[in-house]
Amino acid sequence: MALTALDIYKLLPKTNCKDCGFPTCLAFAMQMAAGKAGIDKCPPASEEAKAALGAASAPPLPRIVVGTGDRAVTLGDEVVLFRHEKTFYHPTAIAISVSDALGDEALEERLRSISALSFERVGQILAVDMVAVRFDSGDPARFAKTASASLARCGKPLLLSGTCAALAAAIREVGASRPLLRPPPGETAAGAALAAAEKLPLAVSARGIEGLAAALAAARAAGATELVADPKPADAAVAVADSIFIRRLAIVHRAQEIAYPTAFDLGQGFPRPFEAACLLLSKYASLLVLDTADPAEIFPLLTLRQNLFTDPQRPIQVDPGIYPIGKISPSSPVLITTNFSLTYFTVRSDVEAAKTPAYLLIAECDGMSVLTAWAAGKFTSESIAALLAESGISGKVDHRTLILPGMVARLSGKIEELSQWRVLVGPQESSALPSYLRRLPPAAFVPVHG
Amino acid sequence: MTVPLPKQAYPGRILPVTLPAGPGGTPVTVGGQNALSLAPEGEKPNAAAIGMEVRTGGGDLPPALAKAFECRATDPVSLAGACANDWGAQFLFLSLDGCHPDGGGQPVEEGARIVHEVLAAVSCPVIVGGCGEEETDAKLFPAVAESAGRPVFLSYADEKNYRLVGGAALAYGHGVVAWSPIDINMAKQANLLLSDLGVPPERILIDPLTGGLGYGLEYTYSIVERIRLAGLSGDAMLARPVLCHLGDAWKAREAVDASETSWGDAVLRGRRWEETTGWACLAAGADLLVFRHPGNVEAFREAAWR
């Protein structure tokens, strides 16, 4: 059971020295109780307190790393139940399955389609993270060969699903890549011994939270330490319920015996796998195994993951400044918008679609969208006038005409008062920019003289 | 080994709200729960209600919808009939976007006439959506409120127009969808203003503004979670059913663009884009979901366990 803030407070020096960055020892204790601060932030703490609180300040959900190097995937290590409380740190890993029963050509084709599952959105690359190799052939040597080919072809960390004999064979080929081992439920102890001997992470499968707690205990008893928990639900409703309860047990109840990252296999006939994937991405799964490699299904799932794992306090931003689009000239139109990454990329792609070379002026707005930034006083007539004066845009174009987002049309008069620029009110929606830009008369951007 | 199930109890309860049906139709009741969605705990007397949007404006259909509507008349009255009778929509969201100056600019009387015809053609509950243009909507809502032959919900009332919409709803016995731009304080404010005006609480739904997948969905997700947690913690002004209108999902290039072959089939992708937005909203706590794709209505109605 977790220590309360008061339990923690009793062990602290109670001097309110503020070295931890919090105003009082009690405030620090409350942060520690919430899993948001560690005893290492309190230099004057006694050794006794450090020993007692070290465990309490460990992340409530352990961190498990699968794979090595740049492509390594981190599972778990989360501290909150709701993203608005802080953020979710480690995006749900998505593994696409490969059967070792596939013929050489089919295997090659399958691995090619998995490698192709990579998409660019708002300046980030979204891709699947792992390959899940399934032991269907009955031949451990073939399983090892498929694992080896999957690693070589995709370069992604592996999840190895098979009997201990198959796992042992595969480890000889790909063990150095730190695969996640997933023996069948009946072989938990043997699989755990294998994982312990090879120092590899292990996924423990057993139906339901009770069964899982027992299986995890058996795995620990066999020496395995880096564990992932798979409650083997029958359908999406049970899966999401198990996922919610396990995360609550970890974060709220600090029930260490069940506090592990979760894995769900949504392939092999799991009912309504797409629905289950969406719900489990929303509700705490650390790893999902999918049989589909259809980009029409994977792209939306990866986008949902990108959305939910964006830090609510730090929206994805681009650097403020001047962005030329296309073959610009001194008579190219100048548009302005905010530095919220999504806004920037949406406007940019619409300007590109218009095939009208233009300058895009990006204002520093703490990564807020136009309307939000305006409401928060970050995108104002004053800040826009200052940007026009200081950004150097007037040295790049010989006209003085600014296209303002239609959402903030009301700023136009004041901008004209505060700057030497004329303001044209653009469309409300960025999607209307192509037709808007094409309709603009060239006379809108005549040079200024004098 | 026994692991205690970490069930969570909350002091508050979401107010049940009923969307009235026409003669012979089935009314839709949402809310009434005292727990978060998806966790098997508390009392959840009503599943999330699944509705469909019907638009009066023209415009090209995305590939996924063009395929789904194939061989059917897409005029609002015929489409409304198909949604309610063939595709299983429990309620309709009739968007009068055809009255928008940029969307055809139908006269207000024409919008009101379509509402009247749709209400005659279907018996399920109907929410009537404005066109989004302030001045037009100021004329549209009173006209709709007067000419609708039976009680509907008017969407939307916000900080600016709540007197007009709330007043029209009170005068003719309609409900109101209180709209706010992804802001929990403004959501609460809109409910307070409508309450002060005398609109009964059981005739108000919250629309927190739903950003589509990839285009602000995460903001909606967290606002819906926060509204629900506040409501369950006892904030009566936020203990109201939440409506998520998924129309924004279809504005995403990723949902409609058939030219990017590496993104997969646009017909399936468009449907999945809306579906993914819907599951995330359901996970966050939405009580009413408004779809355009018939296949998604079926998928969500079958998953009414929530």
Side-chain angles (χ1 to χ4, degrees), chain B residues 83-130:
Chain B
C83 293
N85 305 323
D86 304 342
W87 294 329
Q90 293 168 280
F91 67 93
L92 293 185
F93 191 106
L94 179 58
S95 297
L96 301 179
D97 59 335
C99 294
H100 195 287
D102 296 348
Q106 282 169 350
V108 163
E109 300 72 38
E110 172 71 3
R113 188 187 59 77
I114 297 174
V115 173
H116 194 82
E117 282 187 25
V118 167
L119 287 173
V122 300
S123 56
C124 68
V126 173
I127 300 174
V128 180

Side-chain angles (χ1 to χ4, degrees), chain A residues 17-90:
Chain A
C17 72
K18 303 186 178 57
D19 282 1
C20 58
F22 295 97
T24 62
C25 290
L26 186 60
F28 178 57
M30 290 168 75
Q31 290 296 315
M32 276 188 63
K36 295 175 185 174
I39 187 68
D40 53 312
K41 290 271 163 45
C42 177
S46 66
E47 286 308 314
E48 177 204 1
K50 282 180 184 164
L53 296 177
S57 62
L61 196 61
R63 172 194 178 92
I64 304 294
V65 178
V66 181
T68 59
D70 294 348
R71 293 262 182 99
V73 172
T74 301
L75 309 177
D77 193 14
E78 299 289 349
V79 297
V80 293
L81 289 179
F82 300 101
R83 59 189 290 281
H84 64 258
E85 294 174 327
K86 192 165 177 144
T87 187
F88 294 153
Y89 291 100
H90 297 291

Side-chain angles (χ1 to χ4, degrees), chain A residues 181-246:
Chain A
L181 308 181
R182 185 165 172 268
E187 295 186 30
T188 297
L194 190 60
E198 304 284 344
K199 297 194 166 46
L200 293 176
L202 175 78
V204 174
S205 316
R207 178 139 308 182
I209 290 179
E210 291 259 325
L212 196 52
L216 286 161
R220 283 193 301 267
T225 53
E226 300 171 86
L227 303 178
V228 174
D230 171 6
K232 289 186 79 63
D235 59 31
V238 177
V240 74
D242 285 348
S243 188
I244 289 172
F245 280 163
I246 291 174

Side-chain angles (χ1 to χ4, degrees), chain A residues 81-85 88 116 118-122 209-210 213-214 217 220 236-237 240-242 244-246 248-249 252-253 255 257-258 272 274-275 278-279 282-284 294-297 299-301 303-308 310 312 315-316 340 342 346 349 367 371 410 429, chain B residues 1-8 10 36-41 160 179 181 212-219 221-223 225-226 229 248 251-254 261-266 268-273 275-284 298-300 302-303 305-306:
Chain A
L81 289 179
F82 300 101
R83 59 189 290 281
H84 64 258
E85 294 174 327
F88 294 153
S118 173
F119 313 88
E120 191 178 342
R121 281 199 86 252
V122 292
I209 290 179
E210 291 259 325
R220 283 193 301 267
V240 74
D242 285 348
I244 289 172
F245 280 163
I246 291 174
R248 269 192 206 160
L249 283 163
V252 181
H253 301 264
E257 68 273 22
I258 189 84
R272 300 171 166 276
F274 190 83
E275 165 187 332
C278 290
L279 292 173
S282 304
K283 288 290 171 192
Y284 315 134
D294 184 343
E297 299 200 297
F299 191 19
L301 292 176
T303 304
L304 176 60
R305 178 177 82 170
Q306 179 188 38
N307 278 175
L308 296 179
T310 295
I316 308 173
F340 178 34
L342 180 59
T346 307
S349 101
L371 211 51
R410 65 195 92 196
E429 298 279 344
Chain B
M1 183 175 309
T2 316
V3 182
L5 284 186
K7 295 200 176 184
Q8 176 82 42
Y10 294 92
L36 295 178
S37 59
L38 304 182
E41 61 195 5
K160 277 189 260 168
W179 182 90
L213 176 63
Y215 292 85
L217 173 61
E218 69 272 36
Y219 297 92
Y221 185 88
S222 285
I223 285 295
E225 283 196 329
R226 288 176 61 196
L229 286 166
D248 202 45
K251 288 190 194 160
R253 186 162 86 87
E254 294 89 333
T261 48
S262 67
W263 291 357
D265 173 36
L268 177 61
R269 175 162 29 91
R271 176 183 165 178
R272 292 300 196 208
W273 209 263
E275 181 180 356
T276 305
T277 311
W279 290 122
C281 290
L282 187 82
E298 191 185 352
F300 278 73
E302 285 173 14
W305 42 268
R306 65 176 326 210

Side-chain angles (χ1 to χ4, degrees), chain B residues 8-306:
Chain B
Q8 176 82 42
Y10 294 92
R13 185 182 286 275
I14 307 306
L15 193 75
V17 170
T18 297
L19 282 67
T26 312
V28 165
T29 301
V30 291
Q33 70 270 41
N34 62 356
L36 295 178
S37 59
L38 304 182
E41 61 195 5
E43 292 157 28
K44 297 175 182 173
N46 300 300
I50 309 305
M52 284 187 83
E53 182 184 22
V54 172
R55 299 184 175 191
T56 60
D60 292 338
L61 287 175
L65 294 180
K67 173 99 173 137
F69 295 166
E70 209 170 22
C71 307
R72 280 178 195 275
T74 50
D75 69 276
V77 179
S78 311
L79 195 61
C83 293
N85 305 323
D86 304 342
W87 294 329
Q90 293 168 280
F91 67 93
L92 293 185
F93 191 106
L94 179 58
S95 297
L96 301 179
D97 59 335
C99 294
H100 195 287
D102 296 348
Q106 282 169 350
V108 163
E109 300 72 38
E110 172 71 3
R113 188 187 59 77
I114 297 174
V115 173
H116 194 82
E117 282 187 25
V118 167
L119 287 173
V122 300
S123 56
C124 68
V126 173
I127 300 174
V128 180
C131 74
E133 204 272 323
E134 233 171 277
E135 283 177 29
T136 311
D137 283 345
K139 296 181 210 132
L140 198 50
F141 284 122
V144 167
E146 190 185 342
S147 67
R150 59 179 166 97
V152 297
F153 271 64
L154 301 175
S155 169
Y156 53 90
D158 65 9
E159 256 185 344
K160 277 189 260 168
N161 73 358
Y162 74 95
R163 282 179 193 283
L164 181 90
V165 178
L170 277 175
Y172 297 98
H174 302 302
V176 177
V177 178
W179 182 90
S180 48
I182 315 197
D183 183 316
I184 188 168
N185 296 315
M186 288 171 79
K188 184 164 174 170
Q189 175 72 0
N191 282 322
L192 276 168
L193 293 170
L194 288 169
S195 292
D196 289 350
L197 202 63
V199 179
E202 66 279 5
R203 276 203 256 150
I204 300 177
L205 299 170
I206 296 177
D207 177 352
L209 175 59
T210 303
L213 176 63
Y215 292 85
L217 173 61
E218 69 272 36
Y219 297 92
T220 302
Y221 185 88
S222 285
I223 285 295
V224 173
E225 283 196 329
R226 288 176 61 196
I227 288 174
R228 183 48 38 90
L229 286 166
L232 291 175
S233 303
D235 186 335
M237 282 300 150
L238 292 172
R240 308 274 168 86
V242 169
L243 176 142
C244 284
H245 187 301
L246 308 173
D248 202 45
W250 295 101
K251 288 190 194 160
R253 186 162 86 87
E254 294 89 333
V256 300
D257 193 338
S259 69
E260 290 276 355
T261 48
S262 67
W263 291 357
D265 173 36
V267 170
L268 177 61
R269 175 162 29 91
R271 176 183 165 178
R272 292 300 196 208
W273 209 263
E274 182 187 55
E275 181 180 356
T276 305
T277 311
W279 290 122
C281 290
L282 187 82
D287 299 280
L288 302 105
L289 294 165
V290 180
F291 291 90
R292 292 184 74 190
H293 197 291
N296 286 337
V297 173
E298 191 185 352
F300 278 73
R301 286 211 60 183
E302 285 173 14
W305 42 268
R306 65 176 326 210

Side-chain angles (χ1 to χ4, degrees), chain A residues 71 111 115 145-156 158 174:
Chain A
R71 293 262 182 99
L111 295 175
S115 291
K145 193 167 149 256
T146 307
S148 187
S150 301
L151 183 65
R153 192 77 178 76
C154 299
K156 299 176 191 293
L158 301 179
V174 298

